[in-house]
Amino acid sequence: AVRVGGGGGEDGCSGDLHQRSMREQLHSIEYARVVVFMALHVLHFNFYVGTFVQQITSIAQRDPSVTPAPETGTEWTVQQEDDVNQRINTIVQSFSLWLGILMPSAILIIPLVGRILDTLPLRHGGFLACNVSGSMWSLLAMVPSLPLQWLTILVLSAHRVTLFSCLFAYTANRFGPSHFGSLIGVTMLVSSLVGLLQYPLAVLA
């Protein structure tokens, strides 16, 4: 069984949420916390994936090995511009391809995530891993270095698997099996609606 937390009952929560009605569970502070947690992480994740092409393009355009500056007092010829644009397009396509491959491939670390969830309380294990990995890929994404963006994709993929594993483990452990499917469904609905904010954020960015 997943251990959720320290003293004071399950992670300090009062009362047995397993025995409460779905309405009471939905109105509990414990459920509000996990919804906010998921909504913020999903928005964060969706915004990055939704603007991935633009971000890699921007980094490639600033990379002197990809986009060398023209010699002083001269301008690029049309052929040189075409060559640079082709090089950037090739790089972006390669990153996009591997993003699509590595994200689902992260299921390979599920046994490790399961081990963490089984041996550590969620607040000191799974949720900590979510926050640390989320912070790591965010910081890596801000570094204008193409080689580092490969590491960003790897950490992002691991973060995604850990995030949803923690959601399922927390919901089952804290609220019990009676309304598990409905609670997960509401959580994903709210997270998806909040995730729509990625579009105005992308415009502002």
Side-chain angles (χ1 to χ4, degrees):
V2 178
R3 294 182 296 159
V4 177
E10 291 189 357
D11 208 8
C13 90
S14 59
D16 187 2
L17 287 171
H18 288 222
Q19 306 305 320
R20 298 185 188 179
S21 67
M22 180 178 167
R23 181 183 179 87
E24 290 174 319
Q25 290 179 341
L26 287 171
H27 286 84
S28 66
I29 186 63
E30 290 82 8
Y31 185 71
R33 286 190 305 202
V34 75
V35 169
V36 171
F37 179 84
M38 282 299 299
L40 292 177
H41 275 284
V42 169
L43 174 60
H44 185 198
F45 172 85
N46 284 350
F47 175 77
Y48 177 78
V49 173
T51 59
F52 182 75
V53 169
Q54 292 90 331
Q55 294 192 53
I56 296 299
T57 299
S58 176
I59 294 173
Q61 289 173 339
R62 289 179 287 167
D63 189 328
S65 67
V66 179
T67 312
E71 295 180 10
T72 305
T74 64
E75 295 184 357
W76 279 342
T77 64
V78 173
Q79 182 60 49
Q80 287 175 320
E81 272 193 57
D82 289 343
D83 290 343
V84 168
N85 288 334
Q86 181 60 44
R87 200 176 304 137
I88 291 174
N89 288 337
T90 301
I91 290 171
V92 171
Q93 289 173 6
S94 178
F95 271 95
S96 298
L97 172 64
W98 280 102
L99 177 68
I101 292 173
L102 292 174
M103 280 177 51
S105 298
I107 61 171
L108 296 174
I109 70 165
I110 286 180
L112 174 61
V113 175
R115 180 66 177 169
I116 293 173
L117 295 176
D118 283 340
T119 56
L120 295 172
L122 267 173
R123 66 166 66 170
H124 302 308
F127 284 141
L128 178 61
C130 277
N131 290 326
V132 170
S133 59
S135 299
M136 282 181 61
W137 72 255
S138 298
L139 292 172
L140 289 168
M142 290 190 291
V143 180
S145 166
L146 286 173
L148 267 183
Q149 297 318 303
W150 294 113
L151 182 58
T152 302
I153 294 174
L154 289 173
V155 178
L156 172 71
S157 301
H159 167 75
R160 181 171 174 265
V161 169
T162 306
L163 176 65
F164 286 97
S165 297
C166 287
L167 169 65
F168 299 141
Y170 177 89
T171 304
N173 187 281
R174 181 55 58 87
F175 301 102
S178 298
H179 309 295
F180 175 82
S182 298
L183 294 174
I184 290 292
V186 174
T187 303
M188 297 308 299
L189 173 62
V190 174
S191 299
S192 298
L193 292 175
V194 173
L196 293 175
L197 291 173
Q198 66 176 295
Y199 297 109
L201 289 176
V203 172
L204 293 174

